[in-house]
């Protein structure tokens, strides 16, 4: 009896909070903002019971590296937002879009508005369907309805029509660096916008496991005393992190990680305006917007 009483007392002391019913609606800003008391005292972590974030720093190739670990409860917490409805060319900074969409954590997307190639989908809505030869060099990353990564390489109409999954987000940048734990081999001269041999700021979006992700950012020549990484160096670094999939996102001055009201990576760097973001949102209803 004493054990039962003690257990009941312990349960009464556990934190209680309301959760959104089912999943978050696709499209539009997330309905609930970050929970203030979920941030860690160090300012580099967050855990509200429906999602957790941990930020770490390291160094490789004489360059500062930022690692962001994200664990979600539901696929709908993995979200995207645009600076303006497509096909507008309007641009905003990542912090601006993050605040407008109640983001807990946000990063830049693939900046698809600066080119017209590839297949683009956001929040389940097809924005662009271009499988012309000019799109071959842009590896397609699909985030499906389970929050898992899938790839279509090369991007052709036949390959896309053969896809049988349910896409929610489709990105057109790349290249894919690691698929199913295997480092990818390719002719970099046939890939678009990856700056393969050039030391640079880099951003990779990785999947570790089910609803578990890792964002890896490297500084570059734009930051004092930081050399930056080439694609081979970046891939080698990622291969040591036990990632299942890794996809190269827009880098350079676009690379931005926004968390807890501030830019986490290279805070001295000016925020570049971009067309889109990837962000993560809570299921807790404590802070309806």
């Amino acid at each position: 009896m004493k054990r039962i009483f003690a257990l009941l007392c312990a349960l009464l002391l556990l934190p209680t909070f309301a959760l959104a019913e089912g999943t978050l609606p696709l499209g539009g800003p997330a309905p609930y903002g970050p929970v203030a008391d979920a941030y860690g005292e160090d300012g580099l972590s967050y855990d509200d019971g429906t999602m957790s974030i941990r930020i770490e720093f390291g160094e490789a190739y004489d360059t500062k590296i930022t690692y962001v670990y994200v664990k979600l409860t539901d696929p709908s917490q993995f979200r995207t937002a645009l600076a303006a409805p497509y096909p507008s060319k309007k641009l905003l900074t990542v912090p601006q879009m993050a605040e407008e969409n109640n983001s807990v954590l946000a990063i830049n997307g693939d900046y698809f508005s600066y080119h017209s190639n590839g297949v683009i989908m956001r929040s389940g809505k097809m924005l662009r369907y271009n499988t012309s030869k000019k799109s071959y060099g842009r590896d397609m990353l699909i985030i499906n309805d389970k929050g898992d990564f899938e790839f279509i390489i090369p991007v052709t109409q036949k390959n896309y029509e053969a896809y049988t999954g349910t896409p929610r987000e489709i990105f057109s940048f790349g290249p894919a660096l690691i698929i199913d734990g295997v480092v990818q081999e390719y002719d970099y001269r046939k890939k678009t916008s990856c700056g393969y041999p050039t030391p640079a700021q880099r951003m990779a979006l990785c999947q570790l496991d089910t609803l578990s992700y890792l964002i890896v950012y490297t500084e570059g020549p734009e930051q004092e005393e930081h050399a930056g990484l080439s694609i081979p160096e970046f891939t080698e670094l990622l291969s040591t992190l036990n990632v299942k999939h890794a996809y190269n996102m827009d880098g350079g001055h676009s690379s931005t990680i926004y968390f807890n009201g501030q830019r986490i990576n290279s805070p001295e760097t000016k925020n570049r305006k971009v067309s889109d973001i990837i962000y993560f949102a809570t299921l807790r209803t404590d802070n309806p917007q």
Side-chain angles (χ1 to χ4, degrees):
M1 179 66 86
K2 289 182 178 179
R3 289 183 178 180
I4 295 176
F5 179 74
L7 178 60
L8 289 173
C9 289
L11 289 173
L12 289 173
L13 292 174
L14 289 174
T16 59
F17 48 81
L19 297 180
E21 295 183 9
T23 63
L24 301 177
L26 287 180
Y32 314 110
V35 179
D37 61 8
Y39 290 99
E41 292 183 1
D42 60 1
L44 298 173
S45 61
Y46 178 95
D47 192 339
D48 65 17
T50 76
M51 64 178 294
S52 64
I53 294 170
R54 185 177 84 255
I55 300 173
E56 299 178 356
F57 300 102
E59 188 168 304
Y61 298 97
D62 297 320
T63 297
K64 183 178 178 180
I65 314 294
T66 303
Y67 305 91
V68 184
Y69 294 86
V70 180
K71 179 66 177 176
L72 306 178
T73 300
D74 186 85
S76 66
Q77 294 175 278
F78 187 113
R79 307 178 67 80
T80 58
L82 308 180
Y86 185 77
S88 171
K89 295 292 186 180
K90 181 179 178 179
L91 305 175
L92 293 173
T93 66
V94 172
Q96 285 175 312
M97 284 185 273
E99 295 293 340
E100 290 179 358
N101 288 277
N102 301 320
S103 159
V104 176
L105 173 88
I107 65 172
N108 58 285
D110 60 1
Y111 204 163
F112 67 87
S113 70
Y114 87 95
H115 66 87
S116 59
N117 300 314
V119 178
I120 303 295
M121 178 181 287
R122 293 294 187 269
S123 305
K125 182 180 179 181
M126 185 68 78
L127 303 183
R128 178 192 302 161
Y129 185 77
N130 182 354
T131 56
S132 67
K133 288 186 178 181
K134 290 185 178 181
S135 301
Y136 288 8
R138 296 184 176 275
D139 292 350
M140 183 189 300
L141 168 63
I142 296 173
I143 311 297
N144 67 20
D145 59 335
K146 296 180 177 62
D148 292 327
F149 287 19
E150 297 179 298
F151 301 89
I152 293 180
I153 306 170
V155 177
T156 66
Q157 181 176 349
K158 180 180 179 180
N159 287 346
Y160 185 78
E161 290 177 350
Y163 173 71
T164 58
T166 304
R168 283 191 175 176
E169 316 288 347
I170 299 179
F171 300 93
S172 178
F173 203 86
L177 304 176
I178 298 174
I179 299 178
D180 289 323
V182 178
V183 171
Q184 298 301 289
E185 296 182 4
Y186 50 83
D187 183 349
Y188 74 89
R189 290 163 294 191
K190 295 182 179 179
K191 297 296 180 181
T192 303
S193 300
C194 69
Y196 185 89
T198 306
Q201 287 178 277
R202 303 283 181 185
M203 178 82 79
L205 179 64
C206 310
Q207 182 176 14
L208 299 172
D209 205 338
T210 302
L211 297 177
S212 181
Y213 309 97
L214 171 62
I215 296 155
V216 181
Y217 161 79
T218 81
E219 293 194 349
E222 297 87 347
Q223 286 77 43
E224 186 177 358
E225 298 181 357
H226 291 282
L229 274 65
S230 66
I231 286 290
E233 292 169 338
F234 196 31
T235 304
E236 182 178 359
L237 171 65
L238 296 172
S239 71
T240 68
L241 302 175
N242 198 33
V243 302
K244 183 177 182 181
H245 305 299
Y247 185 78
N248 183 56
M249 300 298 294
D250 189 18
H253 289 296
S254 297
S255 304
T256 307
I257 303 171
Y258 186 75
F259 175 74
N260 196 14
Q262 61 183 326
R263 177 176 176 142
I264 296 298
N265 68 306
S266 308
E268 74 285 354
T269 302
K270 182 179 179 180
N271 287 310
R272 183 184 187 185
K273 292 184 177 181
V274 294
S275 62
D276 60 302
I277 61 170
I278 297 168
Y279 73 101
F280 303 92
T282 182
L283 289 174
R284 280 181 56 169
T285 64
D286 302 45
N287 295 325
Q289 302 296 309

